[in-house]
mmCIF file with all atom_site columns, all heavy atoms in Angstrom:
data_model
loop_
_atom_site.group_PDB
_atom_site.id
_atom_site.type_symbol
_atom_site.label_atom_id
_atom_site.label_alt_id
_atom_site.label_comp_id
_atom_site.label_asym_id
_atom_site.label_entity_id
_atom_site.label_seq_id
_atom_site.pdbx_PDB_ins_code
_atom_site.Cartn_x
_atom_site.Cartn_y
_atom_site.Cartn_z
_atom_site.occupancy
_atom_site.B_iso_or_equiv
_atom_site.pdbx_formal_charge
_atom_site.auth_seq_id
_atom_site.auth_comp_id
_atom_site.auth_asym_id
_atom_site.auth_atom_id
_atom_site.pdbx_PDB_model_num
ATOM 1   N N   . GLU G 1 128 ? 15.021 -21.833 9.046   1.00 0.00 ? 145 GLU G N   1
ATOM 2   C CA  . GLU G 1 128 ? 15.836 -22.283 10.174  1.00 0.00 ? 145 GLU G CA  1
ATOM 3   C C   . GLU G 1 128 ? 14.975 -22.852 11.295  1.00 0.00 ? 145 GLU G C   1
ATOM 4   O O   . GLU G 1 128 ? 15.287 -23.883 11.889  1.00 0.00 ? 145 GLU G O   1
ATOM 5   C CB  . GLU G 1 128 ? 16.692 -21.127 10.683  1.00 0.00 ? 145 GLU G CB  1
ATOM 6   C CG  . GLU G 1 128 ? 17.594 -21.484 11.852  1.00 0.00 ? 145 GLU G CG  1
ATOM 7   C CD  . GLU G 1 128 ? 18.464 -20.324 12.290  1.00 0.00 ? 145 GLU G CD  1
ATOM 8   O OE1 . GLU G 1 128 ? 18.858 -19.500 11.432  1.00 0.00 ? 145 GLU G OE1 1
ATOM 9   O OE2 . GLU G 1 128 ? 18.748 -20.222 13.503  1.00 0.00 ? 145 GLU G OE2 1
ATOM 10  N N   . GLN G 1 129 ? 13.854 -22.182 11.611  1.00 0.00 ? 146 GLN G N   1
ATOM 11  C CA  . GLN G 1 129 ? 13.046 -22.639 12.741  1.00 0.00 ? 146 GLN G CA  1
ATOM 12  C C   . GLN G 1 129 ? 12.174 -23.829 12.392  1.00 0.00 ? 146 GLN G C   1
ATOM 13  O O   . GLN G 1 129 ? 11.750 -24.575 13.268  1.00 0.00 ? 146 GLN G O   1
ATOM 14  C CB  . GLN G 1 129 ? 12.196 -21.494 13.304  1.00 0.00 ? 146 GLN G CB  1
ATOM 15  C CG  . GLN G 1 129 ? 11.067 -21.021 12.408  1.00 0.00 ? 146 GLN G CG  1
ATOM 16  C CD  . GLN G 1 129 ? 9.744  -21.736 12.646  1.00 0.00 ? 146 GLN G CD  1
ATOM 17  O OE1 . GLN G 1 129 ? 9.324  -21.903 13.776  1.00 0.00 ? 146 GLN G OE1 1
ATOM 18  N NE2 . GLN G 1 129 ? 9.087  -22.148 11.566  1.00 0.00 ? 146 GLN G NE2 1
ATOM 19  N N   . LEU G 1 130 ? 11.902 -24.067 11.108  1.00 0.00 ? 147 LEU G N   1
ATOM 20  C CA  . LEU G 1 130 ? 11.051 -25.189 10.731  1.00 0.00 ? 147 LEU G CA  1
ATOM 21  C C   . LEU G 1 130 ? 11.720 -26.538 10.988  1.00 0.00 ? 147 LEU G C   1
ATOM 22  O O   . LEU G 1 130 ? 11.053 -27.513 11.314  1.00 0.00 ? 147 LEU G O   1
ATOM 23  C CB  . LEU G 1 130 ? 10.675 -25.100 9.249   1.00 0.00 ? 147 LEU G CB  1
ATOM 24  C CG  . LEU G 1 130 ? 9.376  -24.400 8.870   1.00 0.00 ? 147 LEU G CG  1
ATOM 25  C CD1 . LEU G 1 130 ? 9.216  -24.397 7.362   1.00 0.00 ? 147 LEU G CD1 1
ATOM 26  C CD2 . LEU G 1 130 ? 8.168  -25.043 9.533   1.00 0.00 ? 147 LEU G CD2 1
ATOM 27  N N   . GLY G 1 131 ? 13.028 -26.590 10.825  1.00 0.00 ? 148 GLY G N   1
ATOM 28  C CA  . GLY G 1 131 ? 13.712 -27.860 10.987  1.00 0.00 ? 148 GLY G CA  1
ATOM 29  C C   . GLY G 1 131 ? 13.242 -28.860 9.947   1.00 0.00 ? 148 GLY G C   1
ATOM 30  O O   . GLY G 1 131 ? 13.278 -28.592 8.742   1.00 0.00 ? 148 GLY G O   1
ATOM 31  N N   . ASP G 1 132 ? 12.759 -30.018 10.396  1.00 0.00 ? 149 ASP G N   1
ATOM 32  C CA  . ASP G 1 132 ? 12.295 -31.062 9.484   1.00 0.00 ? 149 ASP G CA  1
ATOM 33  C C   . ASP G 1 132 ? 10.822 -30.945 9.141   1.00 0.00 ? 149 ASP G C   1
ATOM 34  O O   . ASP G 1 132 ? 10.289 -31.793 8.406   1.00 0.00 ? 149 ASP G O   1
ATOM 35  C CB  . ASP G 1 132 ? 12.561 -32.440 10.107  1.00 0.00 ? 149 ASP G CB  1
ATOM 36  C CG  . ASP G 1 132 ? 14.038 -32.721 10.280  1.00 0.00 ? 149 ASP G CG  1
ATOM 37  O OD1 . ASP G 1 132 ? 14.830 -32.213 9.466   1.00 0.00 ? 149 ASP G OD1 1
ATOM 38  O OD2 . ASP G 1 132 ? 14.398 -33.442 11.234  1.00 0.00 ? 149 ASP G OD2 1
ATOM 39  N N   . ALA G 1 133 ? 10.145 -29.923 9.659   1.00 0.00 ? 150 ALA G N   1
ATOM 40  C CA  . ALA G 1 133 ? 8.714  -29.754 9.392   1.00 0.00 ? 150 ALA G CA  1
ATOM 41  C C   . ALA G 1 133 ? 8.503  -29.131 8.010   1.00 0.00 ? 150 ALA G C   1
ATOM 42  O O   . ALA G 1 133 ? 9.446  -28.758 7.309   1.00 0.00 ? 150 ALA G O   1
ATOM 43  C CB  . ALA G 1 133 ? 8.086  -28.886 10.473  1.00 0.00 ? 150 ALA G CB  1
ATOM 44  N N   . VAL G 1 134 ? 7.249  -29.001 7.626   1.00 0.00 ? 151 VAL G N   1
ATOM 45  C CA  . VAL G 1 134 ? 6.909  -28.377 6.348   1.00 0.00 ? 151 VAL G CA  1
ATOM 46  C C   . VAL G 1 134 ? 6.171  -27.067 6.608   1.00 0.00 ? 151 VAL G C   1
ATOM 47  O O   . VAL G 1 134 ? 5.561  -26.878 7.667   1.00 0.00 ? 151 VAL G O   1
ATOM 48  C CB  . VAL G 1 134 ? 6.049  -29.304 5.470   1.00 0.00 ? 151 VAL G CB  1
ATOM 49  C CG1 . VAL G 1 134 ? 6.807  -30.567 5.120   1.00 0.00 ? 151 VAL G CG1 1
ATOM 50  C CG2 . VAL G 1 134 ? 4.732  -29.647 6.169   1.00 0.00 ? 151 VAL G CG2 1
ATOM 51  N N   . GLY G 1 135 ? 6.227  -26.167 5.647   1.00 0.00 ? 152 GLY G N   1
ATOM 52  C CA  . GLY G 1 135 ? 5.581  -24.876 5.833   1.00 0.00 ? 152 GLY G CA  1
ATOM 53  C C   . GLY G 1 135 ? 5.255  -24.217 4.515   1.00 0.00 ? 152 GLY G C   1
ATOM 54  O O   . GLY G 1 135 ? 5.555  -24.751 3.437   1.00 0.00 ? 152 GLY G O   1
ATOM 55  N N   . ALA G 1 136 ? 4.643  -23.031 4.602   1.00 0.00 ? 153 ALA G N   1
ATOM 56  C CA  . ALA G 1 136 ? 4.255  -22.286 3.411   1.00 0.00 ? 153 ALA G CA  1
ATOM 57  C C   . ALA G 1 136 ? 4.593  -20.817 3.588   1.00 0.00 ? 153 ALA G C   1
ATOM 58  O O   . ALA G 1 136 ? 4.386  -20.239 4.655   1.00 0.00 ? 153 ALA G O   1
ATOM 59  C CB  . ALA G 1 136 ? 2.760  -22.443 3.140   1.00 0.00 ? 153 ALA G CB  1
ATOM 60  N N   . VAL G 1 137 ? 5.107  -20.216 2.529   1.00 0.00 ? 154 VAL G N   1
ATOM 61  C CA  . VAL G 1 137 ? 5.401  -18.787 2.479   1.00 0.00 ? 154 VAL G CA  1
ATOM 62  C C   . VAL G 1 137 ? 4.544  -18.170 1.375   1.00 0.00 ? 154 VAL G C   1
ATOM 63  O O   . VAL G 1 137 ? 4.442  -18.735 0.279   1.00 0.00 ? 154 VAL G O   1
ATOM 64  C CB  . VAL G 1 137 ? 6.888  -18.519 2.176   1.00 0.00 ? 154 VAL G CB  1
ATOM 65  C CG1 . VAL G 1 137 ? 7.149  -17.013 2.012   1.00 0.00 ? 154 VAL G CG1 1
ATOM 66  C CG2 . VAL G 1 137 ? 7.777  -19.098 3.260   1.00 0.00 ? 154 VAL G CG2 1
ATOM 67  N N   . VAL G 1 138 ? 3.936  -17.027 1.661   1.00 0.00 ? 155 VAL G N   1
ATOM 68  C CA  . VAL G 1 138 ? 3.236  -16.262 0.636   1.00 0.00 ? 155 VAL G CA  1
ATOM 69  C C   . VAL G 1 138 ? 3.782  -14.839 0.652   1.00 0.00 ? 155 VAL G C   1
ATOM 70  O O   . VAL G 1 138 ? 3.761  -14.176 1.693   1.00 0.00 ? 155 VAL G O   1
ATOM 71  C CB  . VAL G 1 138 ? 1.711  -16.243 0.847   1.00 0.00 ? 155 VAL G CB  1
ATOM 72  C CG1 . VAL G 1 138 ? 1.040  -15.501 -0.308  1.00 0.00 ? 155 VAL G CG1 1
ATOM 73  C CG2 . VAL G 1 138 ? 1.151  -17.657 0.958   1.00 0.00 ? 155 VAL G CG2 1
ATOM 74  N N   . ASN G 1 139 ? 4.285  -14.390 -0.487  1.00 0.00 ? 156 ASN G N   1
ATOM 75  C CA  . ASN G 1 139 ? 4.815  -13.037 -0.627  1.00 0.00 ? 156 ASN G CA  1
ATOM 76  C C   . ASN G 1 139 ? 3.793  -12.143 -1.323  1.00 0.00 ? 156 ASN G C   1
ATOM 77  O O   . ASN G 1 139 ? 3.115  -12.591 -2.256  1.00 0.00 ? 156 ASN G O   1
ATOM 78  C CB  . ASN G 1 139 ? 6.103  -13.060 -1.456  1.00 0.00 ? 156 ASN G CB  1
ATOM 79  C CG  . ASN G 1 139 ? 7.179  -13.922 -0.836  1.00 0.00 ? 156 ASN G CG  1
ATOM 80  O OD1 . ASN G 1 139 ? 7.342  -13.943 0.386   1.00 0.00 ? 156 ASN G OD1 1
ATOM 81  N ND2 . ASN G 1 139 ? 7.926  -14.646 -1.659  1.00 0.00 ? 156 ASN G ND2 1
ATOM 82  N N   . VAL G 1 140 ? 3.690  -10.909 -0.877  1.00 0.00 ? 157 VAL G N   1
ATOM 83  C CA  . VAL G 1 140 ? 2.781  -9.965  -1.522  1.00 0.00 ? 157 VAL G CA  1
ATOM 84  C C   . VAL G 1 140 ? 3.573  -9.130  -2.509  1.00 0.00 ? 157 VAL G C   1
ATOM 85  O O   . VAL G 1 140 ? 4.399  -8.296  -2.134  1.00 0.00 ? 157 VAL G O   1
ATOM 86  C CB  . VAL G 1 140 ? 2.070  -9.074  -0.486  1.00 0.00 ? 157 VAL G CB  1
ATOM 87  C CG1 . VAL G 1 140 ? 1.153  -8.073  -1.197  1.00 0.00 ? 157 VAL G CG1 1
ATOM 88  C CG2 . VAL G 1 140 ? 1.248  -9.934  0.480   1.00 0.00 ? 157 VAL G CG2 1
ATOM 89  N N   . ALA G 1 141 ? 3.333  -9.385  -3.789  1.00 0.00 ? 158 ALA G N   1
ATOM 90  C CA  . ALA G 1 141 ? 3.976  -8.647  -4.867  1.00 0.00 ? 158 ALA G CA  1
ATOM 91  C C   . ALA G 1 141 ? 3.007  -7.562  -5.360  1.00 0.00 ? 158 ALA G C   1
ATOM 92  O O   . ALA G 1 141 ? 2.307  -6.942  -4.551  1.00 0.00 ? 158 ALA G O   1
ATOM 93  C CB  . ALA G 1 141 ? 4.380  -9.602  -5.985  1.00 0.00 ? 158 ALA G CB  1
ATOM 94  N N   . SER G 1 142 ? 2.929  -7.350  -6.660  1.00 0.00 ? 159 SER G N   1
ATOM 95  C CA  . SER G 1 142 ? 2.043  -6.322  -7.215  1.00 0.00 ? 159 SER G CA  1
ATOM 96  C C   . SER G 1 142 ? 1.983  -6.496  -8.723  1.00 0.00 ? 159 SER G C   1
ATOM 97  O O   . SER G 1 142 ? 2.951  -6.964  -9.350  1.00 0.00 ? 159 SER G O   1
ATOM 98  C CB  . SER G 1 142 ? 2.574  -4.921  -6.889  1.00 0.00 ? 159 SER G CB  1
ATOM 99  O OG  . SER G 1 142 ? 1.882  -3.922  -7.620  1.00 0.00 ? 159 SER G OG  1
ATOM 100 N N   . VAL G 1 143 ? 0.869  -6.080  -9.326  1.00 0.00 ? 160 VAL G N   1
ATOM 101 C CA  . VAL G 1 143 ? 0.816  -6.076  -10.783 1.00 0.00 ? 160 VAL G CA  1
ATOM 102 C C   . VAL G 1 143 ? 1.837  -5.097  -11.361 1.00 0.00 ? 160 VAL G C   1
ATOM 103 O O   . VAL G 1 143 ? 2.226  -5.207  -12.523 1.00 0.00 ? 160 VAL G O   1
ATOM 104 C CB  . VAL G 1 143 ? -0.596 -5.743  -11.315 1.00 0.00 ? 160 VAL G CB  1
ATOM 105 C CG1 . VAL G 1 143 ? -1.587 -6.827  -10.965 1.00 0.00 ? 160 VAL G CG1 1
ATOM 106 C CG2 . VAL G 1 143 ? -1.069 -4.381  -10.827 1.00 0.00 ? 160 VAL G CG2 1
ATOM 107 N N   . ALA G 1 144 ? 2.302  -4.150  -10.541 1.00 0.00 ? 161 ALA G N   1
ATOM 108 C CA  . ALA G 1 144 ? 3.347  -3.228  -10.988 1.00 0.00 ? 161 ALA G CA  1
ATOM 109 C C   . ALA G 1 144 ? 4.663  -3.951  -11.247 1.00 0.00 ? 161 ALA G C   1
ATOM 110 O O   . ALA G 1 144 ? 5.558  -3.395  -11.880 1.00 0.00 ? 161 ALA G O   1
ATOM 111 C CB  . ALA G 1 144 ? 3.562  -2.124  -9.958  1.00 0.00 ? 161 ALA G CB  1
ATOM 112 N N   . GLY G 1 145 ? 4.772  -5.194  -10.753 1.00 0.00 ? 162 GLY G N   1
ATOM 113 C CA  . GLY G 1 145 ? 5.959  -5.986  -11.013 1.00 0.00 ? 162 GLY G CA  1
ATOM 114 C C   . GLY G 1 145 ? 5.866  -6.827  -12.268 1.00 0.00 ? 162 GLY G C   1
ATOM 115 O O   . GLY G 1 145 ? 6.826  -7.523  -12.617 1.00 0.00 ? 162 GLY G O   1
ATOM 116 N N   . LEU G 1 146 ? 4.746  -6.765  -12.975 1.00 0.00 ? 163 LEU G N   1
ATOM 117 C CA  . LEU G 1 146 ? 4.550  -7.582  -14.169 1.00 0.00 ? 163 LEU G CA  1
ATOM 118 C C   . LEU G 1 146 ? 4.980  -6.878  -15.441 1.00 0.00 ? 163 LEU G C   1
ATOM 119 O O   . LEU G 1 146 ? 5.283  -7.531  -16.443 1.00 0.00 ? 163 LEU G O   1
ATOM 120 C CB  . LEU G 1 146 ? 3.081  -7.992  -14.291 1.00 0.00 ? 163 LEU G CB  1
ATOM 121 C CG  . LEU G 1 146 ? 2.514  -8.803  -13.121 1.00 0.00 ? 163 LEU G CG  1
ATOM 122 C CD1 . LEU G 1 146 ? 1.028  -9.048  -13.326 1.00 0.00 ? 163 LEU G CD1 1
ATOM 123 C CD2 . LEU G 1 146 ? 3.257  -10.125 -12.976 1.00 0.00 ? 163 LEU G CD2 1
ATOM 124 N N   . ARG G 1 147 ? 4.952  -5.543  -15.418 1.00 0.00 ? 164 ARG G N   1
ATOM 125 C CA  . ARG G 1 147 ? 5.367  -4.764  -16.590 1.00 0.00 ? 164 ARG G CA  1
ATOM 126 C C   . ARG G 1 147 ? 5.706  -3.363  -16.113 1.00 0.00 ? 164 ARG G C   1
ATOM 127 O O   . ARG G 1 147 ? 5.418  -3.010  -14.967 1.00 0.00 ? 164 ARG G O   1
ATOM 128 C CB  . ARG G 1 147 ? 4.251  -4.727  -17.645 1.00 0.00 ? 164 ARG G CB  1
ATOM 129 C CG  . ARG G 1 147 ? 2.921  -4.223  -17.143 1.00 0.00 ? 164 ARG G CG  1
ATOM 130 C CD  . ARG G 1 147 ? 1.896  -4.152  -18.264 1.00 0.00 ? 164 ARG G CD  1
ATOM 131 N NE  . ARG G 1 147 ? 1.691  -5.440  -18.893 1.00 0.00 ? 164 ARG G NE  1
ATOM 132 C CZ  . ARG G 1 147 ? 0.784  -6.331  -18.498 1.00 0.00 ? 164 ARG G CZ  1
ATOM 133 N NH1 . ARG G 1 147 ? 0.010  -6.048  -17.444 1.00 0.00 ? 164 ARG G NH1 1
ATOM 134 N NH2 . ARG G 1 147 ? 0.634  -7.472  -19.107 1.00 0.00 ? 164 ARG G NH2 1
ATOM 135 N N   . PRO G 1 148 ? 6.362  -2.539  -16.939 1.00 0.00 ? 165 PRO G N   1
ATOM 136 C CA  . PRO G 1 148 ? 6.764  -1.208  -16.479 1.00 0.00 ? 165 PRO G CA  1
ATOM 137 C C   . PRO G 1 148 ? 5.598  -0.394  -15.931 1.00 0.00 ? 165 PRO G C   1
ATOM 138 O O   . PRO G 1 148 ? 4.489  -0.407  -16.468 1.00 0.00 ? 165 PRO G O   1
ATOM 139 C CB  . PRO G 1 148 ? 7.342  -0.566  -17.752 1.00 0.00 ? 165 PRO G CB  1
ATOM 140 C CG  . PRO G 1 148 ? 7.845  -1.718  -18.548 1.00 0.00 ? 165 PRO G CG  1
ATOM 141 C CD  . PRO G 1 148 ? 6.851  -2.830  -18.300 1.00 0.00 ? 165 PRO G CD  1
#
Side-chain angles (χ1 to χ4, degrees):
E145 181 178 328
Q146 70 91 46
L147 267 179
D149 296 329
V151 298
V154 175
V155 184
N156 301 321
V157 179
S159 169
V160 294
L163 300 176
R164 55 177 58 90

